[in-house]
Amino acid sequence: MAEPEVYLEKLSAFSRILRMEGLTVSPKETEDASRLLIALGLDDR
């Protein structure tokens, strides 16, 4: 399994892509999603 940082980097990149496509995704929303991923654990997708 990949390290948690890899998933967080991908989430950040995904948020950036969504913003480039015109969707409203705030840095706070990306942070909240990151915290949720960490809280739920990355072992079981």
Side-chain angles (χ1 to χ4, degrees):
M1 187 175 117
E3 295 297 317
E5 294 83 23
V6 171
Y7 293 107
L8 298 176
E9 287 174 19
K10 290 182 182 290
L11 176 62
S12 178
F14 181 61
S15 295
R16 203 170 321 123
I17 290 167
L18 291 175
R19 283 193 292 276
M20 289 179 0
E21 293 297 320
L23 287 128
T24 305
V25 180
S26 72
K28 177 64 176 149
E29 289 171 318
T30 303
E31 178 186 355
D32 290 344
S34 297
R35 290 180 189 272
L36 181 63
L37 280 175
I38 292 167
L40 292 176
L42 300 170
D43 296 336
D44 183 14
R45 293 191 270 163

